[in-house]
Amino acid sequence: MKTLRLTAAALLALTAGAQAADMAAKAPYYKVPVTAVYDWTGFYMGVNAGYGVGRDRLQNNDPITPGSATSTYLQPAGGFGGGQIGYNWQTGSMFGPLVYGVEADIQGGELKDSYPLLNNGAFPLAPQDTYSQKIDWFGTVRGRVGLATGPVLSYVTGGYAYGNVTTTTTSLGFPALATSRVQGGWTVGSGVEASLGGNWTGKIEYLYLNLGNKTDQVMVLGTFPQTTTTELRENLFRVGLNYRIGGNNSTYVPAPAANWTGWYLGGNVGSGIGRDRTSVSKAGDGLGDLPSYDAFNLAPDGINGGVQLGYNWQMANWVYGLETDIQASSQRDNKTAIGLGDVPFDAKLPWFGTVRGRLGYSVGSTLFYATGGYAYGGVKTKASEDGVVQLNASTTRSGWTAGAGIETPFTLLGLFGPSWTSKTEYLYVDLGSTSNLINTTTITTNVSEHIFRTGLNYHFNSPVVAKY
């Protein structure tokens, strides 16, 4: 009996131990997940759309007055769209993950300008000179190199560019000098690309295209040479959508939306180009000074830089806010000269600023946003005739602005903490129209600018880190 009692006790102990072991086995075990590193290596293909504006200087020697040249800018502008394909390689470097690759794209569009309509100073009764230019397709083959901050790639790019260019010039009513050809050259630019989730990425990009200089000549009436020299320069602003084929990001999980709420302060630098439609209308005095009309582009370009201050509010992934900025600018055009070169212009945009609203959506630590609001700036216009200054106007103008951008964390070499972000954005600025009356001559200019810039922001309220 004693042995039986011991056996029952042992069985009871074993049963209790088994139950305890079973309970322990069923208890869930949680392990902190390992965060996968975003890898940019692999093929991609996608589409893009944007807006282009040229700064194509044209100098025209008409058949009757050799040695006297009108200098104006043709600015073919308009929308375009196309597709791109490329391959990225990612490797380590002392600066962090380095991404380099190749990309080719082809674009179709309607970039055109037929605005310039100029008188001939010595021949006021002759038909006006007309100028037109169109680029209906173009493409690039480029290298890319950039630094990756997880799912965000900031890069520079450059390579070969080509496009179909049609240019037509008429002088004094003689048959037109017309060319249509594919021209090759080079391109450089920069951009930011960021993950949208899964295999999809979005990008914003600026490209500068130089399609070379050309000189063309036609003999009028078999005797008189008409010579036209063109310098083809295009500025392209575009957004794109890419799909990564394959890749190694199947285990990558995007971070929750970052916290953007609060004040921020920063600086920026970029480039700008104007497309300032200008006209000179002379009423004449009935005493030998005949009426005339000239229409042409002033195209100030240069570097912009300044500071911005703003505040963000956030609701889930949606971010809205206000931002104001003030900029200094070197934008200038002092090469436009009408009237066979006797009436030179000097146009400047020395400073400008904006007060804008922003509305964006946070994908992980990346903010994609649209922006728009009030714009203002200083405009200086100087015009001379036969070496005598006729106009020297300096005004402050106001208008509106609209654009879009991408803002992301910035941690280069660990020198910047989690409160720092970088942004890349495009702005269209319209400062309206103004007129100046000089005796019987009215000079009217409509000022519009295209700005592409990048900047750094410091966020005061809380660091821009993921909210868990």
Side-chain angles (χ1 to χ4, degrees), residues 417-467:
S419 293
W420 288 93
T421 62
S422 65
K423 71 171 185 177
T424 299
E425 70 181 5
Y426 162 80
L427 288 181
Y428 173 78
V429 176
D430 189 321
L431 295 180
S433 179
T434 189
S435 296
N436 294 277
L437 179 62
I438 308 166
N439 297 323
T440 61
T441 301
T442 302
I443 300 177
T444 302
T445 300
N446 184 27
V447 177
S448 59
E449 307 292 323
H450 299 269
I451 310 296
F452 191 83
R453 62 188 183 185
T454 187
L456 292 179
N457 285 329
Y458 180 83
H459 295 255
F460 290 96
N461 213 28
S462 57
V464 181
V465 296
K467 296 190 295 186

Side-chain angles (χ1 to χ4, degrees), residues 24 26-27 40 61 75 124 167 219 233 266 269 342 358 378 395 413:
K26 290 182 179 179
W40 287 88
N61 294 82
Q75 294 192 277
T167 306
M219 301 304 292
R233 314 288 188 264
V269 65
D342 293 332
R358 297 204 311 171
T395 60
L413 295 175

